[in-house]
Amino acid sequence: MVQAASAIPGELPVPPKGILRVVYLLDAASSFEEKLLRDRVACHATEPGTSVQAISIPASRRRRGVVGSELEAALAAGDDALVAPLRVAWLARGDKAEQSVPFRELLWRGDPRDPNRLHAWWIGRFARDRRRIVAGEPALASELRDRWRQRMESDAGATLGFAEFVARQAALALERAERKLRGARYKIPLFVREEILARPSFRGELSVIAGRLGREPAGVLREAERDLVEIAATHRPTMVDQVVAQFRRVITRGYPGVLQFDRDALERVRALAQHHTVVFLPTHKSNLDHCVVSVLLHDNGLPQNHTAGGANMNFFPVGPIVRRAGIFFIRRSFKDDEIYKCVLRHYIDYLVEKRFPLEWYIEGGRSRSGKLLPPRFGLLAYVVDAYRRGRAEDVVLLPISIAYDQISDVSDYTAEQRGGEKEREGLGWVVRFIRRLGRRYGHVYVRFGEEISLAKVLGTPDPSAPPNPEDRSLELQKLAFEVCVRINRATPITPISLVCLALLGHGDRALSLGELAGSLRNLVDYVRRRNLPVTEEILLETPEVLEPVLDPLVANGLLLRHEDGLEVVYGIAPEHHLAAAYYRNTVIHYFVTGAIAEVALLRAAEPDVGNRTEEFWHEALALRDLLKFEFFFPEREQFVSELRSELDRQASGFESALERGPDAISAYLAQLRPFHAHRILRPFLEAYRVVGLALARRPTETPIDEKDLLRECLALGRQHVLQRRIQRQESVSRTLFATATKLARHRGLTETGGTELALQRQRFAEELLSTIRRIDAVEALVRARQAGILD
């Protein structure tokens, strides 16, 4: 057996000269592994006069056993022994150590990376190249004792014994060594529960909570233990492989091509993750988003993120499975649960401190409209707080945009926007979601935005500094806002998003290939002039190139193709305008500033205006304020600068045109290509006016029930579409009505009051009507250009 053990690949550490004793710590999951390790130690040559001792420690892979007295005695000896941890690593079938385990092999023989005794014997007999001796970095007992003392001093009151500390350090050293063999994708946390529950800071905080709640500390601690089990992810390398493999199958069912991403940007992320905690903050457009990030990381040798998931997704069997692949679950609401908040805070502290990557959606939930949603601050506040308290030298926030040619979820989103209820998550919901991916939806694109360093933004952490809640709240909001801005900046424009943008600009009217290509020509030119990010070179200006882009949209029912007449025409299919608007809205932020400028110019050209320059900026800033809950506008000064740059890019001399009067403004407007306002702003303004009219009808002395108001707006909006008082069907959207209601609440229009409140509500509706009439004027300019009247 000694001879067989010596044949196992893997080098044992060579003790430096002068070492009188080597203590090998054997991390063995079975008696068979222990014998392999002891035999290997026995046949390992050492310097004359150097004694060797092999001691078993609790197996980190099976998490059983306790630190024995033998290790305590060995560490208490007077000489400064070299402590060297050893482990047997078992590889999956194949040549590569990082190769995933086939599911059929798991069913037939069990996990080959953690074999039972019979399977281990079989591997040793017939596949010896699949086992390795892994040696962790050795350390002198004196060095380990110094580390232990520093740990005790930094966490005053900790009760971790020296021998137990050494055993944990050995397990961590072996994990690092085994990652060199298997790859960084299998970086997983060890001793999460043990370390968090043993921290004096954690126990002290729980004691304070117990006193405040009038409860026994032991009962509070037991509840905290249950909460930690409820929250924490429990990574298992084999489950990571299996879950990612299933994610890959699900993705390729609807998106057969490879994921499109910037490899240089991913290498930058890899370099950042080696030194800092990286927080991945992707957009949330689809239930596939997490699958996409997981597959991307796994296929490129990066570890799985600790990803926050809502407790609504923690249903059997999905929850228990994905928890073992890195998802931790959080309750939707826990505002008044002090124990739960304490546990979550210390769990995030632990992940930040140990530099494990995190991931969550800064929007909170999936976007039903296609636009990026306003940020949620909860988890970001926990991470920023951990950084401020010195848990890490730096934390890097990584904005990520995930874009799709088409999304299978869109049909659900449109149903919800029309007033339907969100389908409850469960196993049946998962099956239906996967079935729906049987169609072809194009490609998936991942784009990394410019990262944000908390050290650069917030400065060096000073745990002793007294907190200023107001300043910290403002800093957090600015930080979240900047993340969203950088996500938008990284979002690529897809050909389908431009097609939907062009078609929606024509309302219900179908277009021939030539007409649609002509409508797209100025849009494509605008994208090129601004050098906006795109998924591919966009060539939509000719019918020959355009038709292959339209065919998948027809196949999935978004567009209607009529080919029985004199020429083939394409239009948005009935009841699918909200779906088309979804794709338009994914890139709408690139066109908003130009659309506002057009409306402001038209206002400045009206005959009742005195100082036209002042009125131009007044109108532009009023529109910015009106739409501030829809878009991520910069600060006032920067917005003015960006609007000025937008117009100067289109044509020079807009300020002199304002000074010269209406004719000069009209001449300037004629130079703008393309016009944006009718495509971009009309749906929002029409939806906002419906809310304004609904509010104006309500008695001011009665409190507003916002759910009831939304139902009324949906009914009123449908009526206005039938009466042609609303030109865009996508204006009837619960999402838009909800945001308009939020604006009305912000302006005090949903409160109770008297005559003055009634007048304010009426003015709100009338101001929106005036702006919509300016949008009508933009559409008149578009028709004039199409007719050749306006050059």
Side-chain angles (χ1 to χ4, degrees):
M1 281 300 296
V2 172
Q3 188 175 8
S6 66
I8 303 177
E11 295 296 326
L12 269 62
V14 178
K17 291 183 179 180
I19 296 297
L20 300 179
R21 186 164 59 99
V22 179
V23 178
Y24 289 105
L25 302 184
L26 311 183
D27 183 353
S30 66
S31 58
F32 181 76
E33 288 188 7
E34 183 178 346
K35 182 169 177 53
L36 288 175
L37 292 172
R38 288 187 182 277
D39 289 347
R40 184 58 184 273
V41 169
C43 69
H44 181 60
T46 57
E47 290 287 329
T50 301
S51 65
V52 174
Q53 191 174 4
I55 301 173
S56 293
I57 60 174
S60 57
R61 200 163 69 235
R62 302 279 175 86
R63 294 294 181 89
R64 65 188 183 195
V66 294
V67 176
S69 58
E70 189 179 4
L71 177 56
E72 294 176 351
L75 294 171
D79 59 341
D80 196 8
L82 183 72
V83 181
L86 299 179
R87 175 190 291 172
V88 178
W90 304 89
L91 308 183
R93 186 187 302 275
D95 296 327
K96 294 184 179 180
E98 70 274 13
Q99 181 169 326
S100 299
V101 183
F103 185 64
R104 61 182 178 274
E105 183 172 342
L106 276 181
L107 292 177
W108 177 245
R109 295 193 178 97
D111 186 355
R113 293 185 180 133
D114 187 10
N116 57 36
R117 183 178 180 84
L118 181 61
H119 194 187
W121 175 87
W122 186 93
I123 292 173
R125 186 81 169 83
F126 300 105
R128 290 184 178 180
D129 60 331
R130 287 172 55 190
R131 61 185 187 182
R132 300 282 193 278
I133 295 292
V134 174
E137 184 179 358
L140 293 171
S142 58
E143 294 173 353
L144 291 168
R145 193 174 294 276
D146 288 341
R147 279 191 234 164
W148 174 66
R149 286 171 178 158
Q150 290 173 6
R151 168 75 177 275
M152 297 303 100
E153 291 170 2
S154 64
D155 209 348
T159 57
L160 187 65
F162 180 47
E164 189 177 353
F165 172 79
V166 170
R168 288 190 186 179
Q169 292 295 300
L172 293 170
L174 287 168
E175 278 297 312
R176 289 192 291 270
E178 193 166 341
R179 279 205 301 273
K180 294 178 181 178
L181 177 69
R182 298 193 190 278
R185 65 173 60 136
Y186 299 112
K187 179 184 178 183
I188 61 174
L190 299 177
F191 313 114
V192 178
R193 291 181 64 248
E194 294 89 340
E195 289 211 20
I196 293 176
L197 293 173
R199 289 184 173 187
S201 56
F202 178 64
R203 288 177 172 262
E205 191 171 340
L206 288 179
S207 295
V208 173
I209 293 172
R212 193 158 50 239
L213 299 178
R215 292 176 55 182
E216 288 294 326
V220 170
L221 178 59
R222 284 194 298 271
E223 183 176 335
E225 290 177 356
R226 291 194 298 270
D227 287 346
L228 185 55
V229 170
E230 178 186 332
I231 293 171
T234 54
H235 292 68
R236 297 290 183 270
T238 298
M239 288 306 298
V240 168
D241 284 343
Q242 296 307 315
V243 169
V244 171
Q246 295 306 317
F247 284 169
R248 189 181 296 107
R249 290 189 184 98
V250 170
I251 293 170
T252 54
R253 182 175 167 83
Y255 303 89
V258 296
L259 298 179
Q260 308 287 322
F261 66 97
D262 184 341
R263 193 165 295 279
D264 291 339
L266 187 64
E267 291 306 312
R268 188 177 76 244
V269 174
R270 190 193 308 276
L272 287 169
Q274 291 176 355
H275 304 286
H276 307 293
T277 302
V278 178
V279 178
F280 290 68
L281 298 170
T283 52
H284 200 12
K285 296 290 191 294
S286 167
N287 284 306
L288 286 178
D289 294 332
H290 175 66
C291 305
V292 167
V293 175
S294 293
V295 170
L296 179 64
L297 296 176
H298 193 271
D299 288 355
N300 290 277
L302 287 166
Q304 291 296 292
N305 297 331
H306 287 68
T307 304
N312 59 309
M313 299 297 290
N314 189 18
F315 55 86
F316 183 83
V318 173
I321 292 173
V322 297
R323 184 188 293 276
R324 289 167 173 79
I327 291 184
F328 64 95
F329 293 100
I330 303 177
R331 297 173 191 170
R332 288 293 186 184
S333 177
F334 50 88
K335 185 177 180 181
D336 298 324
D337 192 334
E338 293 189 56
I339 300 172
Y340 189 91
K341 286 192 289 186
C342 174
V343 172
L344 179 59
R345 180 166 56 255
H346 281 270
Y347 181 63
I348 298 298
D349 279 1
Y350 176 87
L351 297 177
V352 169
E353 180 182 320
K354 303 299 182 182
R355 295 208 305 263
F356 286 106
L358 287 98
E359 177 189 337
W360 71 82
Y361 304 113
I362 197 164
E363 302 166 87
R366 287 173 291 156
S367 170
R368 267 62 176 176
S369 67
K371 290 192 300 90
L372 192 64
L373 298 175
R376 300 290 183 89
F377 305 126
L379 277 176
L380 183 60
Y382 280 99
V383 169
V384 171
D385 184 53
Y387 169 75
R388 289 187 187 280
R389 288 184 282 105
R391 295 293 182 179
E393 292 182 358
D394 195 7
V395 176
V396 177
L397 307 182
L398 184 64
I400 302 174
S401 174
I402 304 176
Y404 303 81
D405 283 330
Q406 296 187 70
I407 297 178
S408 66
D409 310 56
V410 164
S411 59
D412 294 337
Y413 301 160
T414 56
E416 290 176 37
Q417 289 199 72
R418 292 193 183 100
E421 294 299 321
K422 177 177 177 284
E423 185 179 2
R424 186 173 180 178
E425 292 83 0
L427 186 58
W429 168 82
V430 172
V431 171
R432 286 188 291 276
F433 173 75
I434 294 174
R435 280 179 178 170
R436 200 162 50 200
L437 285 168
R439 295 179 176 180
R440 291 293 180 260
Y441 292 96
H443 293 90
V444 185
Y445 311 91
V446 181
R447 297 291 184 267
F448 297 98
E450 184 184 356
E451 65 271 9
I452 300 173
S453 161
L454 292 191
K456 291 180 180 178
V457 174
L458 303 177
T460 304
D462 182 6
S464 62
N468 184 322
E470 289 187 6
D471 289 347
R472 291 195 170 184
S473 176
L474 182 59
E475 286 179 342
L476 184 68
Q477 292 176 42
K478 288 183 176 180
L479 197 60
F481 184 91
E482 184 61 26
V483 169
C484 293
V485 167
R486 296 189 187 198
I487 287 174
N488 270 342
R489 207 177 287 155
T491 298
I493 295 173
T494 66
I496 286 174
S497 64
L498 280 188
V499 166
C500 290
L501 178 61
L503 282 171
L504 287 167
H506 295 273
D508 295 333
R509 180 172 169 250
L511 302 178
S512 68
L513 277 173
E515 290 173 323
L516 182 55
S519 182
L520 283 162
R521 192 168 293 117
N522 284 333
L523 274 174
V524 172
D525 180 62
Y526 178 84
V527 169
R528 289 174 182 159
R529 278 187 282 127
R530 285 193 57 186
N531 195 28
L532 297 176
V534 293
T535 56
E536 59 188 83
E537 185 180 4
I538 295 181
L539 303 169
L540 300 174
E541 302 98 317
T542 62
E544 296 76 22
V545 178
L546 183 56
E547 193 167 10
V549 177
L550 301 178
D551 288 342
L553 299 177
V554 173
N556 284 336
L558 182 68
L559 299 187
L560 189 66
R561 176 170 53 205
H562 180 76
E563 46 194 354
D564 295 335
L566 296 177
E567 58 180 340
V568 178
V569 295
Y570 293 83
I572 298 170
E575 303 298 319
H576 281 70
H577 287 75
L578 281 171
Y582 185 96
Y583 298 116
R584 175 200 64 195
N585 290 346
T586 60
V587 298
I588 196 172
H589 54 280
Y590 289 120
F591 307 95
V592 171
T593 303
I596 288 175
E598 293 163 17
V599 175
L601 284 168
L602 284 166
R603 171 59 186 146
E606 291 175 4
D608 64 330
V609 175
N611 188 319
R612 300 185 187 279
T613 299
E614 285 185 6
E615 190 60 30
F616 169 83
W617 290 113
H618 177 270
E619 181 72 8
L621 292 171
L623 282 169
R624 171 181 173 270
D625 184 69
L626 181 73
L627 299 170
K628 64 184 177 184
F629 293 122
E630 298 284 358
F631 302 103
F632 294 93
F633 291 116
E635 296 290 341
R636 179 188 174 107
E637 292 75 14
Q638 186 180 347
F639 173 77
V640 168
S641 175
E642 288 182 4
L643 192 147
R644 183 177 278 113
S645 298
E646 169 70 20
L647 287 176
D648 286 341
R649 188 186 301 112
Q650 290 266 41
S652 60
F654 87 92
E655 288 177 296
S656 63
L658 290 171
E659 295 173 357
R660 295 199 306 273
D663 291 341
I665 295 172
S666 298
Y668 180 84
L669 275 165
Q671 299 179 68
L672 301 185
R673 284 179 173 78
F675 291 118
H676 297 305
H678 63 301
R679 298 185 177 110
I680 304 301
L681 299 184
R682 180 181 285 280
F684 298 94
L685 298 175
E686 288 184 337
Y688 278 38
R689 183 165 183 264
V690 168
V691 173
L693 291 172
L695 284 172
R697 294 171 52 190
R698 294 286 184 105
T700 55
E701 64 275 7
T702 305
I704 297 292
D705 181 326
E706 293 192 4
K707 288 185 178 180
D708 183 58
L709 178 64
L710 289 178
R711 283 192 292 269
E712 180 181 342
C713 289
L714 285 166
L716 183 60
R718 294 187 191 106
Q719 173 194 321
H720 283 191
V721 168
L722 293 171
Q723 293 176 312
R724 300 291 182 178
R725 296 175 65 183
I726 283 180
Q727 293 191 23
R728 300 289 187 264
Q729 292 187 35
E730 67 271 19
S731 301
V732 183
S733 158
R734 183 163 63 179
T735 301
L736 293 183
F737 293 148
T739 311
T741 303
K742 182 179 179 181
L743 175 70
R745 188 192 324 124
H746 177 73
R747 294 188 174 186
L749 300 180
T750 60
E751 299 175 0
T752 55
T755 305
E756 181 59 30
L757 178 60
L759 291 173
Q760 289 174 358
R761 290 177 178 178
Q762 188 65 38
R763 280 196 295 269
F764 178 64
E766 290 173 354
E767 287 169 6
L768 285 162
L769 179 60
S770 298
T771 307
I772 290 170
R773 285 172 176 161
R774 293 182 194 110
I775 302 291
D776 293 338
V778 173
E779 293 213 67
L781 291 173
V782 172
R783 289 192 294 271
R785 178 169 287 166
Q786 291 169 345
I789 300 171
L790 181 68
D791 185 15

